[in-house]
Structure formats: structure tokens, C-alpha cells
Amino acid sequence: MSPTPPAIGLPVPSSWYCLGLSADLPPGAVWRRTLAGRELVVFRTASGRAALLDAYCPHLGADLGVGGRVEGETLRCPFHGFCFDVDGACASTPYGRKVPPAARSRAWPLVERNGLVFAWYGTAGESPAFEIAETDTEGWTAWREHVFDLRGHPQEIAENSVDIGHFAAVHGYEDVVEREPLRAEGAFLHACYGFARPRGFSGKGRLQAEIRIHQQGLGYAQVEVEVRNLGLRTRQLVLPMPVGPERVLLRIAMAVDKRLRPKDIHPLLFWLPGGWLAERIANKGIVSYAEDVAQDLPIWQHKVHLPRPALADGDGPVGAYRKWVRQFYPVAQAGESLGSVLAAGGG
């Protein structure tokens, strides 16, 4: 039996967190979600507008996400039939009388970008500090996704993007090189690496890949992957959502550029439509991607957070990353300075 590690000790960072795929939330759909210990309900109205409210009805406490249903532009409570609009205001009651002024559910910031539904969580209750960048999805397959439930923290998961040393030790990448220096622009962090994979694909030898990582806050990383010797481009997402102090729902997703040339993948595939092949690669690719991420799970599940790690040459820009993440913690934990919680550790 594995020992229970100490508490991670980091507060939930302020960021946008992915609640799911927009395609899975058609008009009339209702989702139940937990974000940083807050119980929430997501719904899409008949006209197509998505909204995010506190889950418990302010009338008598029923869970709007369990049995609640969309009626027009409102969400109807399963207990007494009170209806709430996208701003959380009670629009009507079944009694036909004046709506109680206190019958209002808290509405949370919600946006849809790149086929994903995001909620904003502010550690200090602050409004969104940045926006998720729009990505051109024309010519790409739909997202394929996989979700892990694990002990962890968004900062620890995102740190993998700058931890060059683990690429070889955990994932077996070869010839890992930093193609461009780490670049921070406000809430955005950019990195670029090249590497080789030893196992072949479709009769090819080693895969030669370049990845460009675009971290947007601590809840959204978009990784552009180009396998040059196959003419293949994929887009991979890392979307951790903190559920509670030690729990994360980690959603990963993948899409494939349909403008590939099948003969570059394998000469015998020259006759296949590129879009058809891209869809099949996406189906297989998300399985391989999930297997890759699963290699990190035992590490995340049992590691501790070291505010001052003993960094070595070859680790990558972990110290610079630690300085960048400080902006997502506007309030320190009670009795501690933010610097003690998020020490850069040699960066």
C-alpha cells in the first residue's frame, strides 16, 4: 500500500477552467459540476446561450443540477418549479405572485472558446483577469477527449510543460532540445521543444516532432505538435479543473489537421481522402495521448510541492515558471506570505 503524501499546500489559483466540450452541451442540456469545492450547474437555453449558476436553489435548497430542466431561457427547479434566468435572477414562480427579491442564484463568469466551455474562478473573488485566446479550428477534426480523476494541483500539472528533464525520464523522448527560450506575456506562457520518439508509425522510423506549448493561465494549455517526417499536425489540450483541495479532473483533448497528405503517412495510403484519415488518426491519437499522460499520473498522485526545489542544469526553466505562476494567487493563505507558498526555488 502506497503511503499517503502530505497535503500539496497550494491554494486554488485564479484561472479559467474547462467544464467540458461545447458540443456536449446542446440547447436544453444541464450539467452538474464541482469547481474548487463550489457546487455549480451549467445549462444551455433554448436560444443557445450557456450559463453557470450556484447549484442550490435559493428558495429551499434543491439541487438545480439534479432534475432541473431548461424551459425556454430559464432553468426550472425540480422542487417547487421556480425558474432562474442566465443571470441567476428568479424569473417566475408557480404561484403566479411576486418573485421574492432574495430568490437569486449566484451567476459565475462563463465563456465558450475553441469548442470548449470555461468557468472563471477567482481566488479573491476577482473578475476575470485575462481572456482565452481564439484558435482557428477550420480544417481540423472535432475534439476527442479523455478525463482523469486524480490527486493533484493545476500548478504541478502545468509545470510539466517546462520540466525538460522528465520528457526523457518518464516518456522516453530522445534528443530533447529547447528550440526557443521560454517566453511569458502576462497570463500566457510559451515554450517550444524538439524531440524524437523511438517507436515507429505506419512503417516509418523514429518520429521527429516539434511542440509549441501555449499555457493560458493554469487551467488551459494548448500544444501544437508537428511530426515533420509524416507531414502530420495535431493539437493537444491539457485542461485541469480543481474539484477540491487535493482533487483534479484532468481533461485532455486532441484534434488533427485534416489537410494532411495520406501518402506522407504511408505510400500505400495515397488513395485515401485526407479528411477521412485524419478522423481515424484522431481516434487512435487520443488513446496514445491518454497513455502518455497516464505515465505522469503516479508522479502527480504521490509527489509533494517543494517551494524551493534543488534545481539542476538540464531541468529546464522551472524557476522562471514558478515566478510566472505567482500572478494567479492574488491572496496568500492565512498566516503565510505568498512568497513562502510560491518560492521560485532558484529561478
Side-chain angles (χ1 to χ4, degrees):
M1 184 175 179
S2 300
T4 301
I8 293 172
L10 290 170
V12 176
S14 297
S15 199
W16 290 102
Y17 294 106
C18 181
L19 303 174
L21 304 183
S22 292
D24 293 337
L25 189 71
V30 178
W31 289 346
R32 183 67 161 71
R33 294 289 187 267
T34 303
L35 174 59
R38 274 69 169 181
E39 306 301 332
L40 306 173
V41 60
V42 190
F43 66 99
R44 193 182 297 281
T45 69
S47 69
R49 186 173 177 186
L52 179 65
L53 306 178
D54 278 343
Y56 298 115
C57 179
H59 175 221
L60 280 169
D63 193 326
L64 297 170
V66 181
R69 68 173 186 266
V70 174
E71 291 189 352
E73 298 305 297
T74 66
L75 180 64
R76 186 181 189 274
C77 176
F79 197 11
H80 294 89
F82 282 43
C83 292
F84 298 87
D85 64 21
V86 296
D87 296 318
C90 182
S92 66
T93 75
Y95 312 132
R97 298 173 185 171
K98 183 179 179 181
V99 173
R104 171 177 286 275
S105 180
R106 178 183 176 183
W108 292 68
L110 178 145
V111 298
E112 294 188 75
R113 293 284 190 279
N114 311 325
L116 307 165
V117 182
F118 291 94
W120 171 263
Y121 175 81
T123 300
E126 76 277 15
S127 298
F130 64 96
E131 295 184 3
I132 297 292
E134 293 275 7
T135 296
D136 183 9
T137 57
E138 184 69 27
W140 291 75
T141 68
W143 295 116
R144 272 65 166 176
E145 67 167 350
H146 185 90
V147 181
F148 298 95
D149 184 349
L150 67 146
R151 172 192 176 270
H153 188 276
Q155 178 179 322
E156 298 287 291
I157 292 171
E159 191 164 280
N160 270 27
S161 66
V162 299
D163 183 356
I164 297 175
H166 99 285
F167 290 148
V170 176
H171 301 293
Y173 296 179
E174 298 177 351
D175 303 328
V176 180
V177 295
E178 188 177 20
R179 290 276 170 81
E180 297 176 9
L182 187 74
R183 179 166 50 91
E185 298 175 340
F188 297 80
L189 195 75
H190 308 280
C192 181
Y193 309 108
F195 61 84
R197 295 297 297 266
R199 61 178 183 265
F201 178 81
S202 298
K204 297 282 186 175
R206 295 201 314 165
L207 303 184
Q208 303 290 336
E210 180 178 273
I211 61 173
R212 291 184 176 273
I213 301 171
H214 306 286
Q215 187 78 39
Q216 304 183 34
L218 290 178
Y220 180 32
Q222 181 171 304
V223 184
E224 304 287 341
V225 182
E226 183 177 2
V227 185
R228 291 181 173 176
N229 56 331
L230 296 180
L232 177 65
R233 296 175 62 214
T234 69
R235 183 172 286 155
Q236 297 167 198
L237 303 181
V238 184
L239 306 161
M241 182 180 75
V243 176
E246 297 286 325
R247 303 303 303 178
V248 169
L249 284 183
L250 175 58
R251 175 174 279 101
I252 62 172
M254 171 179 276
V256 175
D257 190 342
K258 294 189 286 188
R259 293 158 292 192
L260 54 78
R261 298 195 305 174
K263 68 177 183 179
D264 291 339
I265 304 296
H266 193 284
L268 296 180
L269 301 179
F270 71 92
W271 57 276
L272 288 175
W276 184 92
L277 183 58
E279 297 288 350
R280 273 67 199 168
I281 292 175
N283 291 339
K284 294 287 188 181
I286 187 62
V287 176
S288 296
Y289 182 26
E291 290 172 350
D292 244 21
V293 174
Q295 294 176 313
D296 291 302
L297 296 186
I299 309 297
W300 289 330
Q301 298 257 46
H302 298 95
K303 78 187 299 291
V304 297
H305 175 72
L306 297 179
R308 293 177 175 83
L311 297 178
D313 288 342
D315 281 331
V318 175
Y321 166 82
R322 292 284 185 96
K323 291 178 179 178
W324 174 76
V325 303
R326 292 180 180 182
Q327 66 186 293
F328 305 113
Y329 299 92
V331 174
Q333 292 178 310
E336 296 179 291
S337 70
L338 190 57
S340 69
V341 176
L342 300 169

